[in-house]
Amino acid sequence: MNPRHHQIIQLVNTRGTVSVSELAQLTGVSEVTVRQDLTLLERDRLLRRVHGSALALDSDNVGTRMNTRYPIKQALARHAASLVQPGESVFIEGGSTNALLARTLAEREDITLITVSHYIAQLLREAPCQVIVLGGLLQKSSESVVGPLTRYSLQQVHFHKAFVGVDGWHPETGFTGRDMLRCDVVDAVLAKGVDSYALTDASKFGQVHPYPLSSGYQVGHVITDAGLDQATARQLQAQAIEVIQVSTP
């Protein structure tokens, strides 16, 4: 995927819908080229084409979100991967940045990756590392498993580090998510008390979503980009959360 494709995905996901003529003006190529790009991106399930325009897919589509703010998310994933030591077992929950983390770790033979995400499992199908996919009810929109069986599966495995995704954070609510069942999975991970990292770009901070993570558990670290304002960083640190800000392109 070339930089123009990333630009198109970013524009479509930000606006919801963008016309072919506007995409041509913004990317500096012809409308014929844009239509060819949209055909490829629709084939890869990254957007949807309609007559004269491109539409964003459901916001739960991991492949689409992976290519939104891609350079930032890739930098966060690389830093997170550098924290994984040889011989460790690592839980990767789900979401677009965590999918990039899984892809970054995929070539390492000296680790075990554990996930609830079928999307991530597919990324790792050719990887030399050990991969454990937990069971549960498949949530088709996010391609992750959730529910009581997933909670039980988490109780039966052990790991050294956990990387989870979040949809929002606000000083009055803490971390919140858009989906109740996925928040329940994150709660079950944090309840194990392992070294835990929320891997998210700075755009999520200040947002509030319907479902809070349990106040009884705590994410130990946040890995985010330099776009996080220092007031928010101090608020996180006041809650004993280490803030790791990664330099990004």
Side-chain angles (χ1 to χ4, degrees):
M1 184 180 298
N2 62 43
R4 187 176 67 253
H5 291 169
H6 288 300
Q7 183 183 3
I8 290 172
I9 293 167
Q10 176 73 53
L11 288 165
V12 173
N13 286 340
T14 300
R15 301 189 189 182
T17 179
V18 188
S19 70
V20 169
S21 59
E22 186 174 7
L23 286 172
Q25 291 174 357
L26 292 171
T27 58
V29 297
S30 69
E31 292 188 15
V32 172
T33 299
V34 168
R35 290 191 183 94
Q36 292 171 343
D37 290 341
L38 296 183
T39 297
L40 293 173
L41 295 172
E42 183 178 49
R43 183 198 64 190
D44 292 338
R45 299 192 303 156
L46 297 172
L47 50 72
R48 185 161 63 91
R49 287 190 66 184
V50 295
H51 182 68
S53 299
L55 295 177
L57 294 177
D58 189 303
S59 60
D60 272 344
N61 184 279
V62 181
T64 302
R65 290 187 290 116
M66 187 189 296
N67 289 284
T68 304
R69 302 186 185 89
Y70 178 86
I72 291 175
K73 292 179 178 180
Q74 183 64 57
L76 301 184
R78 285 175 179 157
H79 182 84
S82 73
L83 303 176
V84 177
Q85 303 301 313
E88 287 191 332
S89 297
V90 179
F91 176 84
I92 303 179
E93 180 250 335
S96 55
T97 310
N98 277 320
L100 288 169
L101 169 60
R103 196 163 71 181
T104 303
L105 290 170
E107 297 308 312
R108 290 183 56 174
E109 300 181 14
D110 56 353
I111 58 175
T112 298
L113 299 182
I114 304 166
T115 189
V116 293
S117 169
H118 281 219
Y119 184 93
I120 288 176
Q122 283 297 309
L123 290 179
L124 299 174
R125 64 186 182 275
E126 303 293 337
C129 64
Q130 292 291 318
V131 180
I132 298 173
V133 186
L134 302 184
L137 175 68
L138 179 63
Q139 190 180 65
K140 295 178 182 177
S141 60
S142 66
E143 299 184 59
S144 289
V145 292
V146 295
L149 181 57
T150 306
R151 270 187 163 270
Y152 177 78
S153 297
L154 281 164
Q155 293 168 2
Q156 306 309 308
V157 295
H158 300 286
F159 35 85
H160 299 89
K161 290 184 175 73
F163 295 92
V164 301
V166 295
D167 296 319
W169 184 88
H170 190 278
E172 296 181 5
T173 62
F175 291 105
T176 56
R178 292 180 290 108
D179 186 277
M180 179 175 63
L181 292 174
R182 290 185 65 193
C183 286
D184 180 64
V185 170
V186 174
D187 281 343
V189 172
L190 298 181
K192 296 179 74 69
V194 302
D195 207 15
S196 58
Y197 297 79
L199 193 57
T200 184
D201 65 84
S203 68
K204 305 290 180 64
F205 293 93
Q207 296 189 29
V208 177
H209 294 276
Y211 305 106
L213 296 186
S214 173
S215 59
Y217 314 124
Q218 177 75 298
V219 171
H221 318 268
V222 165
I223 301 175
T224 190
D225 58 88
L228 182 69
D229 65 89
Q230 291 307 299
T232 301
R234 287 191 295 270
Q235 289 170 327
L236 288 160
Q237 290 162 349
Q239 297 181 11
I241 299 172
E242 182 191 18
V243 177
I244 304 168
Q245 289 184 262
V246 178
S247 297
T248 57

